[in-house]
Amino acid sequence: MSDHQKSHFSLFTFHFSLLYYIMYAWMFCHALFPLRILYIFSDILYFFAYYIVRYRRKIVRMNLTNAFPDKPEKEIIRIEKDFYQYLCDYWFETMKLLHISDQEMLKRMKFKNIELINDMMKDGNSGLFYLGHYGNWEWVTSITLSVDQDIVAGQIYRPLRNKSFDDLFLTIRKRFGSVGIAKEDTLRAIVKMRKEGQKMLIGFMSDQTPSARNIHYWSTFMNQEAPIFTGVERIAKQTGFYVFYADIVRIKRGYYEAECKLISADPKSEEDNAITERYIREMEKTISRNPAYWLWTHKRWKFKKEMFQ
């Protein structure tokens, strides 16, 4: 690398670092406010996001209408408004992670049936934890406060294109001591921790659309044909790790409960796609119970099976 290239690279890195610290400082200042104040900010943001900017409203309306074909338009619009209100809450709740005590987090994010995980993993085996973009999935990283201390908790994430934003969200997600693992490093990280004799509980967000080159299985999801991630099942079958699911309920504003459910205790003996199907059906039940708290802004059903035939 020439001196000119080194200089350009250093300046590029400096700009990203500066942007990171500016965003961190801005978010940390907001995090100093109690949640009751942040929810006032959220109400203001909701008005602009829904009524003025109309952020992805066509996509959300289409997704809700297709997912719930039997619901009348009036109910679809009510869910839509509740969703946007919640999306704004999610943003400020996530900021709050930069300044919240362990004690307050334990009160606000409870893990029901956590003893299932702790007891099963006493045999030295590890676990894979199915999650979805439901409730405040960022708060689930506080599971480190509830699992046994000899369990390393981590989450698989897809790096953001903007490095500053990616670094910032990684900082937030590691707030309670969990390990962030980039998607492309998943197997490498699991093999490394296994060789080191560590018990791990790795969370996977598996409810969004796989990339076209990673589509290996089709099923129905929320009344629509959809490609489904199968990576968790493949890893479980290779490693024999237990497979769990987090069934999240929003109790009220700022309070959640995640019930830990067993998906498979013996993945290697399962038929192909059985684990994946069990997860999708659990995810559907979670969403259908209160649809407003799932992430409807993405084009989840953009791929059609006939496109790949």
Side-chain angles (χ1 to χ4, degrees):
M1 184 182 290
S2 68
D3 290 342
H4 176 73
Q5 289 174 319
K6 288 179 181 178
S7 176
H8 180 75
F9 180 76
S10 297
L11 185 60
F12 179 77
T13 305
F14 171 75
H15 283 162
F16 270 118
S17 298
L18 181 60
L19 180 58
Y20 168 84
Y21 287 114
I22 289 173
M23 291 190 304
Y24 182 91
W26 181 79
M27 292 180 71
F28 186 81
C29 287
H30 280 78
L32 294 174
F33 289 103
L35 274 168
R36 66 178 181 276
I37 302 298
L38 292 179
Y39 286 136
I40 296 174
F41 297 157
S42 177
D43 291 340
I44 296 170
L45 180 61
Y46 160 72
F47 177 81
F48 281 96
Y50 186 76
Y51 291 103
I52 308 300
V53 179
R54 300 172 68 89
Y55 173 68
R56 295 196 174 191
R57 269 181 56 173
K58 288 184 179 179
I59 295 173
V60 172
R61 180 72 59 88
M62 177 184 67
N63 283 342
L64 285 169
T65 300
N66 292 339
F68 302 103
D70 297 330
K71 290 187 183 295
E73 185 180 13
K74 185 176 180 180
E75 187 174 356
I76 293 293
I77 293 173
R78 179 191 61 77
I79 295 170
E80 179 183 274
K81 290 181 178 179
D82 288 346
F83 162 70
Y84 277 93
Q85 178 68 79
Y86 176 69
L87 188 63
C88 295
D89 283 358
Y90 157 81
W91 173 244
F92 284 99
E93 287 174 358
T94 300
M95 273 198 255
K96 186 62 182 174
L97 286 175
L98 290 173
H99 189 268
I100 189 170
S101 68
D102 292 1
Q103 292 73 25
E104 184 176 0
M105 198 72 240
L106 284 166
K107 290 178 183 177
R108 292 182 175 276
M109 184 74 226
K110 294 182 180 296
F111 291 91
K112 183 180 178 182
N113 202 29
I114 192 68
E115 61 274 8
L116 169 71
I117 293 175
N118 287 331
D119 290 346
M120 289 191 70
M121 291 176 61
K122 277 187 168 64
D123 66 359
N125 198 9
S126 292
L128 307 178
F129 206 32
Y130 269 123
L131 302 165
H133 291 82
Y134 188 91
N136 195 320
W137 56 91
E138 305 293 356
W139 281 21
V140 177
T141 58
S142 67
I143 196 172
T144 54
L145 303 176
S146 300
V147 294
D148 288 343
Q149 294 303 301
D150 63 339
I151 297 174
V152 177
Q155 71 274 352
I156 307 302
Y157 72 97
R158 184 180 295 176
L160 301 174
R161 292 180 182 178
N162 185 296
K163 189 177 185 305
S164 294
F165 272 105
D166 187 58
D167 289 345
L168 181 59
F169 269 86
L170 194 56
T171 297
I172 291 171
R173 288 166 179 162
K174 293 164 66 176
R175 161 68 179 81
F176 296 100
S178 64
V179 177
I181 302 170
K183 184 180 176 182
E184 60 270 19
D185 297 330
T186 301
L187 283 176
R188 191 181 305 114
I190 288 175
V191 169
K192 181 176 182 292
M193 286 191 280
R194 201 177 191 187
K195 284 182 177 179
E196 293 171 350
Q198 294 179 331
K199 284 194 298 184
M200 64 199 96
L201 180 66
I202 309 296
F204 291 79
M205 310 289 287
S206 299
D207 57 338
Q208 294 298 300
T209 309
S211 63
R213 61 187 175 86
N214 286 319
I215 294 176
H216 306 290
Y217 179 64
W218 291 81
S219 185
T220 57
F221 178 54
M222 299 305 297
N223 292 308
Q224 298 162 86
E225 188 176 59
I228 311 295
F229 276 111
T230 58
V232 176
E233 177 172 326
R234 293 200 304 271
I235 293 172
K237 282 179 171 291
Q238 289 175 23
T239 61
F241 287 0
Y242 301 131
V243 184
F244 304 98
Y245 172 69
D247 183 11
I248 298 177
V249 176
R250 193 190 196 200
I251 306 300
K252 59 181 180 179
R253 215 174 191 183
Y255 290 86
Y256 301 86
E257 182 178 88
E259 181 178 0
C260 304
K261 296 183 176 182
L262 181 65
I263 294 289
S264 179
D266 186 13
K268 291 184 177 182
S269 69
E270 298 270 12
E271 293 184 7
D272 287 348
N273 303 314
I275 293 173
T276 301
E277 274 293 325
R278 217 167 290 148
Y279 161 66
I280 285 299
R281 300 309 143 222
E282 288 290 344
M283 194 74 245
E284 282 185 327
K285 286 190 286 185
T286 299
I287 295 168
S288 298
R289 185 172 54 226
N290 198 328
Y293 305 143
W294 191 63
L295 190 62
W296 295 100
T297 49
H298 286 195
K299 293 181 179 179
R300 176 61 180 89
W301 295 275
K302 63 184 177 181
F303 292 132
K304 303 299 179 185
K305 198 171 185 178
E306 55 266 24
M307 296 166 60
F308 299 86
Q309 292 176 340

